[in-house]
């Protein structure tokens, strides 16, 4: 299927908001919106393994569309995982029931040279993601934009060294302190792979990109400045440069450095980083984030995912508070991290509709003044 002649986009609210334009209401999507909290996704998982879904464009497309059919969301995010990059570099990744992803971890810094395939053909390895994106972009029929994504180099490195999620990330942080040279070598390899991967996602049809640095909060400001930020900046600028060179339109880019409040001022320097949107976790106040961003980027977030356990009236009120505090301009509503599997579709519906309802009302008030 051709990656050109896509259906005309009818709801571009999120793209407008990302670029700082005023919108009639605040756009909203949910991190991990296609996942196990949906009965139809659990049903799909009974018949297919996680990576089979990722690797089969028709199934990845189907999973991506599930939340779009149910809720009034303003964006779709392609069904995939950040760990497809380590896989493409030759590291085995398994999805283990009730554990999550388990990788064949790098046991020593020497293994960066011996086990990480730095010359791997990323576009060939990950062609299934591009095919899924092109198919999904057509299947969305222009209803909402399609977001492509990748893991940030430090977060990917953390999984490659730890082998799975960790409470302390002490193994990977040991590398940063004891083996900075090999750490930078690995981060460089990952950065190159991510730039190629994101550029090709846009070529295939992604209309917006997000980089997930979910483990950023484990780094303090000094280590973030050395081991994460420079690579995030290389990605922001590298993807833009590639797109320009190919004559492709640039797309809005979002960075999510979870728990890295200390870096918010630097991450909000759009001219330097290349990111139009900074996504926030729930532990920072809107007012503080707005002051640090200083009008330079759009903010995304940041309701505590656990607010979805509230009753529906309380949830509606919490959303109202969030939209009132962030304001309706330069804001994309989301959770402060991914939704959990035991949350209900009903609460997602309430969340999404409350964002639209309250932001429309707030905009109406403003217009009538
Ligand atoms: O068994 C299953 O069905 C696996 C559950 C699952 C799903 C649905 C995993 C395993 N990944 C995904 C999809 C996924 N992962 C998406 C799809 C699109 C959507 O949002 O709807 C996205 C964007 C991701 C990104 C991802 N994967 C991140 C970054 C975002 C975040 O949550 O911080 C991370 C850290 C991962 C790793 C990962 N993959 C899966 C799990 C359970 C985890 C986290 C493990 C851990 O806690 O360390």
């Amino acid at each position: 299927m051709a990656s050109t002649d896509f259906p005309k986009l009818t709801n571009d609210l999120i793209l407008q908001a990302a670029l700082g334009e005023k919108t009639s209401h605040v756009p909203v999507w949910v991190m991990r919106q296609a996942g196990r909290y949906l009965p139809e996704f659990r049903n799909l998982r009974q018949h297919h393994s996680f990576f089979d879904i990722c690797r089969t464009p028709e199934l990845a497309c189907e999973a991506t569309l599930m939340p779009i059919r149910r809720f009034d969301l303003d964006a779709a995010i392609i069904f995939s995982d950040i760990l497809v990059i380590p896989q493409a570099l030759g590291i085995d990744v398994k999805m283990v029931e009730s554990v999550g992803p388990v990788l064949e971890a790098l046991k020593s810094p020497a293994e960066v040279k011996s086990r990480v395939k730095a010359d791997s053909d990323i576009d060939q390895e990950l062609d299934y993601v591009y095919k899924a994106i092109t198919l999904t972009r057509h299947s969305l029929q222009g209803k909402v934009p399609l977001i492509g994504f990748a893991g940030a180099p430090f977060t990917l490195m953390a999984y490659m060294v730890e082998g799975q999620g960790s409470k302390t990330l002490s193994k990977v942080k040991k590398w940063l302190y004891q083996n900075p040279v090999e750490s930078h070598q690995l981060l460089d390899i990952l950065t190159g792979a991510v730039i190629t991967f994101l550029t090709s996602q846009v070529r295939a049809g992604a209309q917006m990109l997000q980089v997930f640095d979910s483990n950023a909060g484990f780094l303090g400001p000094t280590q973030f400045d050395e081991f994460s930020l420079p690579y995030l900046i290389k990605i922001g600028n590298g993807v833009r440069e590639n797109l320009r060179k190919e004559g492709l339109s640039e797309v809005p880019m979002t960075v999510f450095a979870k728990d890295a409040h200390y870096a918010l001022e630097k991450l909000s320097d759009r001219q330097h980083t290349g990111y139009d949107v900074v996504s926030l976790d729930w532990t920072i106040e809107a007012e503080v984030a707005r002051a640090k961003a200083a009008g330079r980027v759009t903010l995304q977030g940041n309701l505590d995912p656990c607010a979805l356990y509230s009753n529906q009236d309380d949830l509606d009120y919490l959303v109202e508070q969030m939209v009132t505090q962030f304001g309706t301009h330069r804001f994309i509503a989301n959770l402060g991290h991914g939704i959990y599997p035991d949350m209900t579709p009903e609460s997602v519906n309430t969340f999404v509709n409350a964002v639209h309802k309250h932001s429309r009302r707030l905009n109406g008030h403003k217009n009538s003044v």
Side-chain angles (χ1 to χ4, degrees):
M1 194 173 301
S3 58
T4 50
D5 292 335
F6 288 122
K8 192 176 174 323
L9 191 57
T10 49
N11 172 359
D12 66 350
L13 220 57
I14 193 169
L15 305 181
Q16 288 181 37
L19 298 175
E21 289 160 32
K22 292 223 161 105
T23 54
S24 55
H25 52 283
V26 168
V28 55
W29 68 283
V30 175
M31 282 194 255
R32 301 291 193 95
Q33 64 191 22
R36 287 167 301 172
Y37 76 99
L38 287 175
E40 57 271 37
F41 180 77
R42 288 197 297 271
N43 185 39
L44 186 69
R45 281 284 280 114
Q46 295 208 322
H47 302 98
H48 306 277
S49 76
F50 176 75
F51 284 116
D52 276 351
I53 301 175
C54 293
R55 287 172 176 273
T56 313
E58 291 73 21
L59 297 180
C61 172
E62 176 57 25
T64 305
L65 295 179
M66 282 173 179
I68 305 302
R69 293 197 188 104
R70 265 189 190 255
F71 313 114
D72 195 12
L73 291 157
D74 295 297
I77 180 162
I78 191 64
F79 190 87
S80 181
D81 198 81
I82 62 166
L83 299 172
V84 298
I85 291 249
Q87 263 180 343
L89 294 173
I91 304 297
D92 187 61
V93 185
K94 287 195 173 59
M95 203 54 77
V96 179
E97 189 61 40
S98 45
V99 177
V102 178
L103 295 80
E104 234 175 71
L106 299 175
K107 289 185 197 64
S108 73
E111 290 195 350
V112 173
K113 276 223 166 68
S114 63
R115 286 191 47 217
V116 181
K117 293 185 189 155
D119 56 356
S120 163
D121 184 341
I122 292 296
D123 279 344
Q124 190 183 319
E125 293 291 329
L126 297 176
D127 188 54
Y128 63 89
V129 180
Y130 311 146
K131 288 204 165 79
I133 287 175
T134 304
L135 175 64
T136 306
R137 173 90 184 262
H138 280 287
S139 305
L140 276 166
Q141 300 180 317
K143 202 172 167 206
V144 290
L146 180 60
I147 301 174
F149 71 92
F154 174 67
T155 289
L156 296 177
M157 175 184 174
Y159 277 101
M160 290 168 81
V161 173
E162 300 283 340
Q164 60 188 86
S166 154
K167 284 212 171 73
T168 58
L169 290 202
S170 60
K171 286 185 189 157
V172 67
K173 290 190 69 184
K174 190 171 173 184
W175 277 44
L176 304 186
Y177 284 106
Q178 292 189 349
N179 305 94
V181 173
E182 293 88 344
S183 296
H184 280 298
Q185 280 166 357
L186 180 53
L187 291 165
D188 262 326
I189 295 168
L190 289 164
T191 300
V194 169
I195 292 173
T196 301
F197 187 40
L198 290 176
T199 305
S200 298
Q201 289 188 48
V202 175
R203 196 183 307 117
Q207 290 151 295
M208 189 163 175
L209 296 171
Q210 178 152 327
V211 178
F212 287 93
D213 206 354
S214 307
N215 289 331
F218 288 86
L219 301 172
T222 310
Q223 283 196 318
F224 185 80
D225 279 354
E226 180 174 354
F227 296 104
S228 181
L229 187 62
Y231 298 100
L232 290 171
I233 292 173
K234 270 191 192 163
I235 292 166
N237 293 306
V239 171
R240 291 189 184 284
E241 198 184 311
N242 280 351
L243 295 176
R244 277 196 296 269
K245 272 193 207 145
E246 279 191 45
L248 291 164
S249 300
E250 288 183 41
V251 301
M253 290 182 72
T254 302
V255 60
F256 177 49
K258 186 172 177 290
D259 295 321
H261 306 173
Y262 51 77
L264 194 49
E265 267 128 357
K266 290 177 184 168
L267 288 172
S268 301
D269 187 354
R270 162 73 182 79
Q271 295 311 319
H272 186 51
T273 64
Y275 296 96
D276 309 281
V277 182
V278 175
S279 195
L280 304 167
D281 66 84
W282 66 96
T283 61
I284 187 163
E285 295 102 321
E287 201 187 324
V288 174
R290 282 288 187 210
K292 292 193 178 187
R296 296 170 296 170
V297 287
T298 291
L299 294 177
Q300 173 173 275
N302 76 338
L303 194 72
D304 178 0
C306 291
L308 267 59
Y309 293 129
S310 304
N311 72 50
Q312 305 308 303
D313 288 342
D314 289 351
L315 178 56
D316 183 274
Y317 174 72
L318 293 167
V319 171
E320 179 178 11
Q321 298 271 93
M322 174 180 74
V323 177
T324 307
Q325 285 161 9
F326 275 98
T328 59
H329 181 213
R330 273 200 172 282
F331 182 47
I332 297 168
N334 205 316
L335 302 179
H337 198 196
I339 181 172
Y340 304 140
D342 66 345
M343 290 170 169
T344 62
E346 184 196 14
S347 61
V348 173
N349 200 41
T350 301
F351 173 69
V352 168
N353 293 340
V355 169
H356 288 163
K357 179 179 74 177
H358 293 298
S359 60
R360 272 199 195 102
R361 184 179 50 74
L362 285 164
N363 275 348
H365 276 298
K366 266 194 200 140
N367 293 342
S368 62
V369 171

